[in-house]
Amino acid sequence: METASLTTLFLILLFLLLLSALFSGSETGMMALNKYRLRHRVKEGDSSAKKVSQLLEKPDRLLGVILLGNNFVNIFASSIATIIAMRLMGEAGIALAAGLLTLIVLIFSEVAPKTLAAFYPEKIAFPAAYFLTPLLKLFSPVVWLVNFVANSFLRLFGVKVGEHKLNDALSHEELQTLIDEATGQLPKQYRDMLKSILNLETVTVEDVMIPKQDIFAIDIDQPIKEILKALSRSRYTRIPLYRGSLDDELIGILNLRKIVPLLLKDPKEVKLKDIIKLTRPPYYIPEVTSLSTQLGNFKKLRRRMALIVDEYGDLQGLVTMEDLLEEIVGKLSSESQSNPAESVTLNEDGSMLIDASEFIRDLNKNFGLQLPTDGPKTLNGLIQEELETLPNEGTCLKVGNYILEVVKTNQNAIEQVKLIPFTSQEQPTDDSFTFI
């Protein structure tokens, strides 16, 4: 180096700074790559993506060769800068050269290339893979030695690199955030469907069931004429048949399509035993079954309706395939549960008059409310649990950011509730109100 001209030394220094920038940029680019997009490119057969994927399989070796090259060229550049400074200014220029080189390396070989790589990781990492791969093979003994020492040092702190695998699995909440953040090009309705699919694992059939008291079923103890009349009025395809009550004896589930040929005959010739022969045994499921599990069970067993029982075997309600699909795509028809919008009246002052039998989840989903869903499923249940009694008409209580006023009751349940957003209304002061 002593015989080299200043021009040659400056060119060597410039080349080393470019190499340093290349190593720095490739390090950030490799680490900033979107792992899922990279896997997609690999599946499509992209050769650059395959090379990058192979390098990232052992990140300790990749970082080893990058840092080995980066530190080597930086130290070499420092030596060249020192020689140049001594030729131009003598020993007094050494300190100046160190400070100036530090600034140049920081700006042009660290911050600038790393910032560029963070914004365009694929444009930096993919070309870099073509020179990092042979470089890793060339210096593999040195890289192995460096990694061995580094990994041995990490073991002192309980980190076993060889046994550690990068975990790219996302939690339920992280997947929901991913849908919100990374699917901006999808219409909102499709994003909502994706989020609903994720919720199938956490929502149970109890949350979407038709309560026992709302089940349309037919008592076969009544005259055959009344049974046929009830069948003709039915809005449902599958109808439970029972004797006495649903809790006493459930005969089976009748599919109206199967009874059509029978009804085409003379109604006077239709016998009860003929109808019962067409029924299918009821299918019972526990109330804690998740929607995702039940969706799979419906498909496996070729069933479209299930009766829900609690831990004591008592009937709680029923759920259909349509109810599960509606959790994903929204309301399909009026065959199953009633539409919450039909039992809710929106007032000009922002309050809502609601049927107390409505499910809280449906109200939250359809009207953007934030009522608690970790307890009772209906407004009636929520109020009675809070008060621990059946309240009188006019009773008010505050739940979250809402005031719930009991408008109408019967002997054993609340029928109608007025919901008032607490932020937009004053607390009731009328003496006829009982505020909890």
Side-chain angles (χ1 to χ4, degrees):
M1 290 295 179
E2 294 182 358
T3 58
S5 65
L6 285 175
T7 302
T8 302
L9 292 175
F10 273 114
L11 290 175
I12 294 174
L13 180 60
L14 178 61
F15 176 70
L16 292 174
L17 291 176
L18 290 175
L19 281 180
S20 178
L22 183 59
F23 282 117
S24 297
S26 60
E27 176 188 2
T28 301
M30 290 287 183
M31 298 301 112
L33 280 172
N34 185 307
K35 302 299 185 298
Y36 302 101
R37 185 177 293 128
L38 177 62
R39 290 171 186 170
H40 176 68
R41 296 280 293 270
V42 170
K43 289 181 180 179
E44 289 185 334
D46 190 313
S47 58
S48 299
K50 289 180 180 179
K51 286 184 176 295
V52 172
S53 181
Q54 290 171 356
L55 290 172
L56 289 174
E57 286 178 359
K58 296 182 178 180
D60 55 334
R61 296 185 61 193
L62 174 61
L63 290 174
V65 71
I66 291 176
L67 295 178
L68 177 66
N70 202 12
N71 281 281
F72 174 78
V73 296
N74 284 342
I75 293 173
F76 194 14
S78 178
S79 301
I80 298 297
T82 301
I83 294 174
I84 293 174
M86 291 187 65
R87 286 194 183 183
L88 294 176
M89 304 176 61
E91 294 184 358
I94 297 177
L96 179 62
L100 187 61
L101 183 64
T102 299
L103 186 62
I104 293 174
V105 169
L106 183 64
I107 295 175
F108 299 103
S109 298
E110 293 290 337
V111 176
K114 287 188 175 184
T115 302
L116 182 65
F119 282 112
Y120 306 101
E122 293 183 4
K123 293 183 178 180
I124 301 297
F126 284 10
Y130 285 95
F131 85 89
L132 288 177
T133 300
L135 202 62
L136 181 59
K137 292 180 180 179
L138 180 63
F139 293 102
S140 57
V142 181
V143 173
W144 178 88
L145 179 61
V146 171
N147 286 336
F148 176 77
V149 176
N151 295 342
S152 299
F153 176 72
L154 290 176
R155 286 194 185 94
L156 298 177
F157 299 94
V159 180
K160 298 180 180 180
V161 178
E163 300 177 3
H164 181 72
K165 293 182 179 180
L166 294 178
N167 185 13
D168 294 329
L170 299 178
S171 67
H172 182 273
E173 293 76 14
E174 290 169 337
L175 281 172
Q176 285 190 322
T177 302
L178 181 63
I179 291 173
D180 290 330
E181 299 284 338
T183 56
Q185 295 182 349
L186 286 177
K188 183 179 182 301
Q189 66 182 92
Y190 297 145
R191 295 200 299 271
D192 291 340
M193 288 172 60
L194 289 173
K195 288 190 286 186
S196 296
I197 292 173
L198 290 179
N199 290 330
L200 291 182
E201 191 63 41
T202 58
V203 180
T204 64
V205 292
E206 184 187 17
D207 296 318
V208 301
M209 71 178 182
I210 300 173
K212 180 173 65 175
Q213 63 270 19
D214 295 335
I215 294 176
F216 180 84
I218 297 177
D219 185 359
I220 62 173
D221 281 343
Q222 59 185 324
I224 187 66
K225 182 178 180 181
E226 296 299 322
I227 294 176
L228 294 177
K229 185 184 296 185
L231 290 174
S232 65
R233 293 199 306 262
S234 173
R235 297 184 294 113
Y236 304 95
T237 305
R238 292 167 179 81
I239 305 170
L241 302 183
Y242 66 91
R243 180 175 283 115
S245 72
L246 283 171
D247 293 318
D248 292 338
E249 184 180 357
L250 189 58
I251 305 301
I253 308 299
L254 177 65
N255 190 328
L256 286 185
R257 293 192 183 97
K258 292 184 178 180
I259 201 176
V260 170
L262 190 63
L263 295 178
L264 291 177
K265 300 178 181 178
D266 187 351
K268 296 180 180 180
E269 296 181 2
V270 178
K271 306 296 181 182
L272 178 59
K273 63 178 182 180
D274 298 327
I275 296 177
I276 294 177
K277 286 181 180 179
L278 297 175
T279 62
R280 192 175 185 183
Y283 167 43
Y284 294 98
I285 61 173
E287 59 187 352
V288 295
T289 306
S290 68
L291 298 191
S292 60
T293 299
Q294 189 52 45
L295 193 61
N297 290 340
F298 273 147
K299 181 179 179 181
K300 179 180 178 181
L301 301 175
R302 298 181 180 274
R303 302 295 294 250
R304 296 180 66 86
M305 173 187 286
L307 297 167
I308 301 170
V309 294
D310 61 15
E311 58 183 316
Y312 304 106
D314 295 332
L315 181 65
Q316 301 298 308
L318 68 78
V319 67
T320 65
M321 176 70 84
E322 184 182 67
D323 295 325
L324 304 189
L325 295 179
E326 285 181 351
E327 282 297 305
I328 301 175
V329 301
K331 196 69 178 175
L332 295 174
S333 71
S334 59
E335 182 175 298
S336 56
Q337 301 182 47
S338 60
N339 190 339
E342 297 175 355
S343 55
V344 176
T345 303
L346 302 178
N347 301 320
E348 293 182 358
D349 60 359
S351 64
M352 304 167 64
L353 201 60
I354 307 172
D355 187 329
S357 64
E358 283 300 326
F359 281 93
I360 295 174
R361 285 187 69 255
D362 291 338
L363 295 172
N364 288 346
K365 186 175 181 179
N366 288 279
F367 300 99
L369 303 180
Q370 296 179 344
L371 293 169
T373 57
D374 54 351
K377 308 303 179 184
T378 64
L379 273 182
N380 173 47
L382 175 64
I383 295 174
Q384 291 200 44
E385 182 183 75
E386 290 287 333
L387 301 179
E388 298 182 352
T389 184
L390 179 62
N392 298 321
E393 294 179 1
T395 300
C396 292
L397 73 156
K398 183 176 181 294
V399 177
N401 295 323
Y402 309 99
I403 295 173
L404 302 179
E405 176 190 342
V406 179
V407 176
K408 186 178 179 181
T409 63
N410 57 32
Q411 291 183 350
N412 55 12
I414 303 169
E415 292 186 355
Q416 201 169 49
V417 174
K418 185 177 182 180
L419 182 145
I420 308 170
F422 188 63
T423 54
S424 62
Q425 297 288 338
E426 295 294 332
Q427 178 174 317
T429 55
D430 194 303
D431 293 338
S432 62
F433 288 168
T434 302
F435 187 76
I436 306 300

